[in-house]
Amino acid sequence: SVAVLMFLVWAWSRAVGRPAYALMDESTSALDVALEARCYTMCAAADITCISVGHRLTLVPFHEVALELDGQGGFTTRELHP
């Protein structure tokens, strides 16, 4: 529920202070799209830069650059909102 999520965000922020970055590995994959958006919006409001690993296209609006791995040790980056 949203109340549980908000409590977890509050507890996490108390435990680690005000982080500049959040590494999020499929962290919202079990959430519906609206709650996922709320999570990323809360991070943005707290000036937390999210570095995400995910497969959902719904993550794109909350990020500026994509890092794409080629499966052979190489990678490319691309701007998501040029």
Side-chain angles (χ1 to χ4, degrees):
S1 79
V2 173
V4 172
L5 174 66
M6 292 180 78
F7 173 76
L8 291 173
V9 169
W10 175 83
W12 179 61
S13 69
R14 291 285 184 215
V16 299
R18 282 229 175 247
Y21 301 95
L23 301 176
M24 301 170 74
D25 185 358
E26 293 285 353
S27 60
T28 59
S29 62
L31 304 179
D32 63 35
V33 173
L35 194 50
E36 175 186 71
R38 190 165 181 172
C39 289
Y40 279 96
T41 300
M42 290 172 70
C43 286
D47 283 332
I48 298 171
T49 298
C50 295
I51 302 169
S52 303
V53 175
H55 64 281
R56 286 181 167 181
L57 292 178
T58 54
L59 295 174
V60 171
F62 304 102
H63 296 82
E64 296 181 22
V65 176
L67 172 68
E68 298 172 340
L69 306 177
D70 67 11
Q72 299 187 10
F75 65 91
T76 58
T77 59
R78 68 180 168 91
E79 289 185 43
L80 295 173
H81 314 285

